[in-house]
Amino acid sequence: MTQPSGVGSWPGTDPLTAARQVRDLLSDNGIPYVVELPDRGPGADMIGRTAAALVDLEVDLQPSGWRLAPTADRNVRRGRAFLRDDLEVLSETYDGWQGPLKVALTGPWTLAGSLRLPRGERVVTDAGACRDLVQSLGEAVRVLAAQVQDAVPGAQVIVQLDEPGLPAVLDGSLRSASGLNQLRPVDQPVVRDALAAIRDAHDGRVVLHCCAPGVPTALLRSMDVEVSLDTALLTPAAWEGVAELVESGRTLWAGAVPTDAAGSHPGPFVDALARAWHRVGLPDAALADLMVTPACGLATRRDPVRIQRLAVDAASALAERADA
């Protein structure tokens, strides 16, 4: 059955209130998720949160951004404290929960494109550093999934890998540290191997989320991952790739509700998705396997509950089309 979910981030600094809001919106027929609150500051942002979870690899925060370092700084220690707080809130909020529960970490290539080497260049430029990062992140995925399982014993843990930077790594559009040059693209087999290593770190469902143009659907179709994307960014050619994903049995998490959506009725977003769905020859019956989410995280939105509820209502409307 078509189900709603979300991407992960939420405004504010109170994890208990945010977790309860997400639970109340999604616990009936959707997939709730561990809420991320970047408003709490460094260590709660997407990169800092994952950097704090890395195993046997330390980072610190410099004016240029997060950087590999000999020892963790106070921002990383704060990030680890945030994670501990979030797990405690999770245990309280989902006491007795039986069902899927999603938790997110930054994927290896967005992380490698964002973290810096000690000398200042991006980690993605150093093959050895990338291998170390993938190994550390794989362990972080295992540890965090186990921690979520311990906090909510009845949960079926889903791991989301946030990869908004993946297209830039593949097409060579990342800028060098100086900003004067573009970095060389990373070869697809190297990218795939790293993603596969992280995917294999979790024995449950894994979703790769990319809310940027140019999602490499052909590459992802060759992997055992579900795919989450912003449907508004899909060109007609990209929709053909999405159709191939769906036909191959991959679950699509369709970010069909814009994060700046107005109103309280999902009709326009449902109709837009259905038109694109039909243009590429997908049947209404296939909508039954669809996940529906906001296009991206809601950390910058004042009314995240309304946006998330639009995704819930859109999923219900699409489920009706699938059953018709």
Side-chain angles (χ1 to χ4, degrees):
M1 178 179 176
T2 316
Q3 288 183 291
S5 188
V7 173
S9 66
W10 206 257
T13 59
D14 180 358
L16 183 58
T17 297
R20 286 173 173 170
Q21 289 174 322
V22 168
R23 178 202 62 194
D24 293 347
L25 285 162
L26 294 170
S27 60
D28 283 346
N29 64 346
I31 296 182
Y33 48 91
V34 181
V35 181
E36 303 162 29
L37 301 173
D39 284 348
R40 290 183 290 187
D45 59 292
M46 183 179 75
I47 301 302
R49 184 176 177 84
T50 300
L54 291 174
V55 176
D56 295 330
L57 197 64
E58 301 292 359
V59 300
D60 63 16
L61 183 59
Q62 298 294 317
S64 59
W66 294 98
R67 179 192 68 170
L68 298 182
T71 58
D73 70 357
R74 62 185 179 89
N75 296 293
V76 175
R77 293 192 294 272
R78 184 186 297 120
R80 290 169 180 162
F82 290 150
L83 278 172
R84 289 193 297 270
D85 291 345
D86 291 346
L87 289 166
E88 290 179 6
V89 164
L90 199 67
S91 180
E92 175 183 343
T93 307
Y94 291 92
D95 183 31
W97 172 255
Q98 300 283 330
L101 183 61
K102 181 165 65 69
V103 64
L105 286 172
T106 309
W109 293 108
T110 298
L111 200 58
S114 301
L115 290 178
R116 305 281 176 163
L117 297 164
R119 63 178 181 272
E121 194 51 87
R122 299 178 192 268
V123 168
V124 73
T125 63
D126 187 312
C130 284
R131 285 192 295 271
D132 291 344
L133 184 63
V134 168
Q135 182 176 358
S136 177
L137 181 59
E139 288 300 315
V141 166
R142 291 188 188 94
V143 169
L144 184 57
Q147 289 173 329
V148 172
Q149 193 74 74
D150 288 343
V152 188
Q156 300 153 15
V157 180
I158 301 172
V159 172
Q160 175 179 302
L161 300 176
D162 289 322
E163 278 285 17
L166 180 59
V169 167
L170 284 165
D171 66 20
S173 59
L174 280 177
R175 308 297 297 184
S176 64
S178 67
L180 300 177
N181 302 299
Q182 288 184 315
L183 301 181
R184 293 178 56 188
V186 180
D187 293 338
Q188 276 211 12
V190 176
V191 169
R192 187 192 184 285
D193 287 349
L195 290 171
I198 304 303
R199 192 272 166 268
D200 291 346
H202 179 54
D203 59 6
R205 294 168 65 182
V206 173
V207 182
L208 189 142
H209 169 68
C210 181
C211 55
V215 178
T217 52
L219 173 67
L220 300 179
R221 194 171 67 249
S222 69
M223 303 177 59
D224 180 21
V225 294
E226 303 173 27
V227 179
S228 169
L229 44 76
D230 179 349
T231 57
L233 298 178
L234 295 174
T235 64
W239 263 110
E240 294 290 344
V242 168
E244 292 174 353
L245 272 173
V246 172
E247 290 167 346
S248 72
R250 303 292 182 272
T251 297
L252 177 66
W253 297 56
V257 178
T259 59
D260 60 353
S264 57
H265 194 279
F269 318 121
V270 170
D271 291 343
L273 179 63
R275 285 194 299 269
W277 198 259
H278 295 150
R279 275 199 303 269
V280 291
L282 290 170
D284 280 347
L287 292 168
D289 298 320
L290 190 69
M291 299 296 306
V292 182
T293 73
C296 204
L298 300 174
T300 62
R301 302 301 164 192
R302 293 184 177 180
D303 51 359
V305 170
R306 181 181 60 83
I307 303 297
Q308 184 64 77
R309 187 174 287 119
L310 279 170
V312 172
D313 294 342
S316 296
L318 290 163
E320 291 178 3
R321 291 186 182 225
D323 292 338

